Amino acid sequence: MKQYLSFSEEVKEAKLAGKPIVALESTIISHGMPYPQNVETARIVEDIIRENGAVPATIAIIDGKIKIGLSDEELELFGKSSGVAKVSRRDIGYLIATKQLGATTVAATMICAELAEIPIFVTGGIGGVHRGAEATMDISADLEELAKTNVAVVCAGAKSILDLGLTMEYLETKGVPVIGYETDVLPAFYTRTSDVELTIRADEPGVIAESLKAKWDLKIDGGAVIANPIPEEHAMPASEINAVIAKALQEADEKGIHGKDVTPFLLGKVKELTAGKSLEANIELVKHNARVGTAIAKAYQNL
Ligand code: PSU
Ligand code: MN
């Protein structure tokens, strides 16, 4: 198994020194944001993690290896190249065999982080049950991964391009804890709130770390969602973003966008229709998630 993993020097040293490590995904770079903001954000997020006392490990597939920790040039490569594959659970083996560039989604990053023994993973938002999934069956593999892989995902909730209610039902069925960080309701990515109430709230990173440890010590397999609302000053007005999302969904439908292209298409459309305001919000919420995720990783390492 180990022959497939390649650790950066920084991550190797952190492991030897027993320093906390925070995993990061690469699809957010290749398919989630445009160049050059994607690479700038990836760098800033890594630096926030370092400044707060942990080590970042951005995960991707390069040249037949799962890379745990990317160099600056590799970040640039993922931000700039157009032919990068969006890699979910189903794709990992093939991407390794064919030595193609693969950007890992939340699902694939969770698998790789677990192999690398990194329990805390920071991103923007998770995939979920799409609106209309009753007919399309479009349910992100991220949810199934959360059901079985022991990694906690710190995110700003799920976007209302998804059906948030059905996403929560799915997670409940699969026994995935969704822990609201300083919130009683599920944040909806661009906005701090939604009408979906959460059953678990924690205001201390230490409580989150202890909850994860107890769960995993007890062999209750699966991940957790740590839902961290976007900072107030960067949140978007709900009415504005919801109108834009409705338009983006309609366009995706008209164009017959399906499969793995749906989420990147919607993200791009929303950015276009908000004249970049959604991108700004997206960047800020990821930075905030990096701060909170680092605090959780440190608390977990100290248990
Ligand atoms: N949501 C975002 N930005 C992203 C993604 C989701 O705000 O970049 C990416 C993540 O990598 C996530 C993936 O795992 O999209 C989900 O894709 P799908 O819906 O096809 O499962
Ligand atoms: Mn899908």
Side-chain angles (χ1 to χ4, degrees):
M1 184 270 279
K2 295 279 184 220
Q3 74 267 29
Y4 295 108
L5 300 181
S6 165
F7 291 83
S8 69
E9 280 309 311
E10 187 185 20
V11 174
K12 246 188 244 171
E13 278 167 27
K15 287 227 161 243
L16 282 174
K19 272 184 98 171
I21 302 171
V22 174
L24 298 163
E25 60 155 313
S26 42
T27 293
I28 190 173
I29 306 175
S30 63
H31 292 73
M33 290 184 194
Y35 183 83
Q37 289 95 337
N38 53 1
V39 180
E40 279 162 24
T41 306
R43 287 190 181 124
I44 292 170
V45 165
E46 289 204 343
D47 283 339
I48 288 172
I49 293 169
R50 290 188 188 100
E51 280 158 21
N52 286 279
V55 166
T58 304
I59 292 175
I61 298 178
I62 305 177
D63 205 18
K65 297 270 188 216
I66 296 169
K67 286 264 191 168
I68 312 292
L70 299 188
S71 69
D72 211 47
E73 297 73 47
E74 287 165 337
L75 284 182
E76 185 80 18
L77 181 68
F78 276 88
K80 251 186 171 162
S81 312
S82 54
V84 180
K86 176 180 165 189
V87 175
S88 194
R89 166 177 275 266
R90 65 178 178 192
D91 311 295
I92 295 176
Y94 177 74
L95 263 289
I96 288 175
T98 55
K99 296 190 162 48
Q100 297 178 67
L101 277 185
T104 51
T105 60
V106 168
T109 305
M110 287 179 73
I111 294 171
C112 301
E114 187 180 52
L115 291 172
E117 295 175 35
I118 303 173
I120 312 294
F121 162 24
V122 162
T123 190
I126 54 166
V129 180
H130 281 259
R131 296 200 206 171
E134 311 89 280
T136 63
M137 288 185 73
D138 189 349
I139 300 173
S140 175
D142 293 353
L143 298 186
E144 206 52 42
E145 210 56 57
L146 281 159
K148 57 186 163 209
T149 301
N150 299 347
V151 170
V153 184
V154 182
C155 64
K159 261 176 263 52
S160 42
I161 59 173
L162 303 170
D163 187 319
L164 298 187
L166 291 188
T167 299
M168 289 299 292
E169 291 294 346
Y170 196 100
L171 290 170
E172 179 177 339
T173 300
K174 296 290 183 172
V176 178
V178 180
I179 304 178
Y181 181 69
E182 296 181 327
T183 181
D184 295 308
V185 296
L186 182 70
F189 200 81
Y190 302 114
T191 57
R192 290 176 57 81
T193 61
S194 69
D195 51 17
V196 180
E197 278 176 34
L198 297 177
T199 58
I200 311 176
R201 171 185 174 135
D203 293 357
E204 297 289 336
V207 172
I208 297 173
E210 282 176 37
S211 307
L212 294 170
K213 183 175 188 313
K215 170 178 157 65
W216 291 328
D217 278 353
L218 291 165
K219 307 277 179 239
I220 303 171
D221 278 337
V225 176
I226 317 301
N228 179 36
I230 182 171
E232 185 83 63
E233 64 272 30
H234 300 295
M236 296 184 69
S239 55
E240 180 187 342
I241 193 69
N242 288 336
V244 163
I245 284 170
K247 228 170 149 198
L249 285 166
Q250 195 192 336
E251 224 177 296
D253 189 42
E254 283 163 10
K255 291 204 158 110
I257 310 283
H258 64 276
K260 67 181 171 45
D261 299 330
V262 173
T263 298
F265 176 87
L266 292 173
L267 290 176
K269 254 303 141 210
V270 167
K271 186 216 149 211
E272 184 188 310
L273 294 171
T274 59
K277 264 198 282 175
S278 68
L279 178 59
E280 210 173 297
N282 198 343
I283 292 169
E284 292 302 328
L285 66 83
V286 180
K287 285 158 64 175
H288 188 225
N289 292 343
R291 286 184 207 105
V292 171
T294 302
I296 297 168
K298 284 165 75 178
Y300 190 85
Q301 191 74 8
N302 287 333
L303 289 176

